[in-house]
Amino acid sequence: MTMTANGLAKLQEEIGELLQETGKKLAYFTTDEHPDGAGPLSGRLVREMADVRAAMIFVSTQFGIRGEDIEAERDSKLALYRACPDIRMTAGGLAKLHEKMGHLLMISACLLSNFDVQGRRVTSGAAARLLPPVAALHAAMDYVIERFDLDGDAMSERCAAKVALFERWHADSTNGRECFHASVGEDRALAG
């Protein structure tokens, strides 16, 4: 299976899943128990943040955004988030995380409208439009990890595995690489 529009559609899907879990954490803020009883909210937040981070890394690579540019802007935003008492008081940064996910959804939706039916890019300037919201969302996730003392190592491991999976799924027609198909079982194993 190939990734539509250089991963923008997958990024939107992953953000939607994280929005669901952060919404549950906001609704049940004083507990780590998920309403369905099938595991803690903290574990689900880690998994979904890892998936969003992996999608952002994949999309950034596809659009030629340099990791060091993301990191520099992310560091600046994270310092701002740490210093701002309003962010600390709004549900441990979850409200800021929602805001930044919404911003990236809006930018990616605009960019998606500039792809043809084969998923080829028909716009320029995408990297410049993506860099600020990608960096801000990285920073917001890092802030939430700190505030809720989430397992950053588990997130990093899952993120690396998901990036590899996304790369296997994607056919890069610009340089002639073929699409490597991951089995459904591999994806299900990562989703668990």
Side-chain angles (χ1 to χ4, degrees), residues 98-161:
H98 269 233
E99 174 192 330
K100 296 308 172 187
M101 284 188 283
H103 188 204
L104 187 52
L105 279 171
M106 181 185 71
I107 297 296
S108 62
C110 290
L111 291 172
L112 268 171
S113 69
N114 291 310
F115 277 77
D116 66 15
V117 293
Q118 285 82 35
R120 291 186 300 245
R121 194 174 343 170
V122 292
T123 186
S124 62
R129 291 178 70 191
L130 282 167
L131 174 59
V134 163
L137 184 50
H138 275 294
M141 287 192 297
D142 288 343
Y143 184 78
V144 167
I145 289 167
E146 289 175 8
R147 294 286 293 162
F148 288 94
D149 196 27
L150 299 175
D151 188 345
D153 291 337
M155 183 176 149
S156 294
E157 289 173 20
R158 182 176 174 90
C159 177

Side-chain angles (χ1 to χ4, degrees), residues 37-92:
L41 282 165
S42 58
R44 293 176 189 212
L45 284 172
V46 166
R47 282 193 304 274
E48 296 306 334
M49 283 195 288
D51 294 355
V52 169
R53 181 160 283 169
M56 288 192 301
I57 290 168
F58 179 81
V59 166
S60 297
T61 300
Q62 294 301 309
F63 285 93
I65 303 170
R66 296 172 352 137
E68 49 273 7
D69 293 338
I70 294 169
E71 190 172 323
E73 194 154 334
R74 172 210 155 275
D75 290 348
S76 166
K77 290 287 187 190
L78 185 56
L80 178 67
Y81 297 164
R82 287 175 178 150
C84 181
D86 291 342
I87 294 173
R88 287 195 303 270
M89 296 174 66
T90 53

Side-chain angles (χ1 to χ4, degrees), residues 146-180:
E146 289 175 8
R147 294 286 293 162
F148 288 94
D149 196 27
L150 299 175
D151 188 345
D153 291 337
M155 183 176 149
S156 294
E157 289 173 20
R158 182 176 174 90
C159 177
K162 288 291 271 203
V163 168
L165 185 63
F166 295 163
E167 288 171 349
R168 286 198 311 254
W169 282 353
H170 186 68
D172 185 344
S173 60
T174 61
N175 67 12
R177 285 192 344 218
E178 293 297 319
C179 177
F180 295 95

